[in-house]
Amino acid sequence: MRSHFWNRSAAVMAITAMAACGGGGGGSSEGAADEAGEAAAAAAVDPATVGTISGLANFGGMVPTMAPIDMSAEEDCAAGYGGDGPMNQNLLVSNGGLANVFVYLSEGVSAAPAASGAAMLSQSSCRYAPHVLGVQSGQDIEITNSDNLLHNINASPTENRGFNISQPRAGITSTQRFPMAEVMVPIRCDVHGWMQAYIGVVDHPYFAVTGADGSYSIANVPTGDYTMTAWHEEMGTMTASVTVTAGGMAEVSFDYNSEMMGANVPMGDALVIGHGTNRIRVERTQ
């Protein structure tokens, strides 16, 4: 592993720039304005020109047993899990349905409304929630530390600019955004190596993440012919064609199986802040 160091002044400028990107929640007037904007956007959708896409992500074959997460070093976090304790989230199957599959229109979208509202990513009980998040390019992402201990958010995109933000205590929220489409952006916490999440960034709002039962639904899709892509961190990607009709319900499902395991998304170079030293280093894995 090779490490490259920036000088102190550059590091201070970088940390200042990252801090400028953060922010807390807006006041009540801002919240009311956001709600009014979302309501106006919803009212502007003509149901005679849009349809809905729904379906399932199915998993066939024997489901591998997920490895437990050792949180013994963080007793408060470990106490939040019952039964067998916290387990890895890279393959969650329930009654044949596969969770955490990011489904989106990858071809055919000619125009899209601007993003409204903010997406939420929480660090809770030493895990990211949700594990997979979809956002529109340029949309605010509010990242909150809900644990009363140190976390950091290390984003390692390829197309967008990465960031690494320290959140040393509960209640801290940082607002970030990615201006360009990118599927996927890996997120991790360098303090707790098991904490990983993925953010799918697309140029439109026609996306979804499958729930615990593998189901998804994408509403208000303009009529037309599209290509859909489904992404999963262990299964890679699958595509399908779909036609949306006015007022119609198009169904598209994706079938995964245990033989497709192993298509992990690579994590990018880590941007690491040396707390207390104002130095930044880029740790390259190759």
Side-chain angles (χ1 to χ4, degrees):
M1 178 179 291
R2 296 180 287 115
S3 296
H4 301 272
F5 287 86
W6 298 345
N7 61 37
R8 175 183 172 84
S9 60
V12 172
M13 292 175 63
I15 294 172
T16 302
M18 285 187 282
C21 291
S28 59
S29 60
E30 293 179 357
D34 289 343
E35 292 179 2
E38 292 177 8
V45 175
D46 182 356
T49 64
V50 298
T52 299
I53 305 172
S54 63
L56 292 167
N58 301 305
F59 185 88
M62 182 175 294
V63 180
T65 301
M66 291 297 97
I69 299 173
D70 181 7
M71 292 189 186
S72 58
E74 300 289 2
E75 294 183 359
D76 289 342
C77 288
Y81 301 91
D84 297 329
M87 309 293 288
N88 281 313
Q89 297 180 285
N90 55 318
L91 187 69
L92 298 181
V93 179
S94 177
N95 296 322
L98 180 61
N100 291 327
V101 178
F102 182 62
V103 183
Y104 63 102
L105 298 185
S106 51
E107 293 182 16
V109 178
S110 58
S116 62
M120 307 294 178
L121 182 64
S122 175
Q123 298 160 103
S124 179
S125 295
C126 292
R127 285 207 307 209
Y128 283 110
H131 183 64
V132 177
L133 175 67
V135 301
Q136 195 168 347
S137 53
Q139 183 178 8
D140 284 349
I141 307 169
E142 294 186 359
I143 309 171
T144 300
N145 183 0
S146 299
D147 297 327
N148 197 26
L149 49 82
L150 172 66
H151 289 307
N152 77 297
I153 309 104
N154 187 339
S156 302
T158 301
E159 302 299 326
N160 290 276
R161 182 175 181 175
F163 58 85
N164 191 320
I165 301 169
S166 175
Q167 292 187 332
R169 62 185 182 277
I172 297 177
T173 295
S174 175
T175 301
Q176 299 293 324
R177 62 188 62 85
F178 297 108
M180 295 180 288
E182 182 171 350
V183 179
M184 282 285 191
V185 176
I187 307 291
R188 62 177 166 236
C189 173
D190 297 316
V191 182
H192 306 101
W194 62 81
M195 290 181 62
Q196 294 184 359
Y198 298 93
I199 299 179
V201 187
V202 292
D203 290 330
H204 53 73
Y206 312 122
F207 59 83
V209 178
T210 60
D213 62 352
S215 66
Y216 75 91
S217 181
I218 306 173
N220 297 324
V221 181
T223 58
D225 297 321
Y226 301 96
T227 298
M228 293 189 68
T229 296
W231 173 98
H232 186 268
E233 65 187 279
E234 290 282 356
M235 306 291 177
T237 59
M238 300 179 67
T239 60
S241 298
V242 60
T243 297
V244 177
T245 59
M249 176 73 76
E251 295 188 5
V252 179
S253 293
F254 298 91
D255 296 323
Y256 297 89
N257 60 68
S258 55
E259 295 180 357
M260 301 166 68
M261 290 282 294
N264 288 302
V265 173
M267 301 294 278
D269 298 333
L271 177 64
V272 180
I273 299 174
H275 299 286
T277 66
N278 288 335
R279 303 187 75 184
I280 295 177
R281 71 180 187 273
V282 178
E283 290 188 351
R284 304 196 185 280
T285 57
Q286 296 182 353

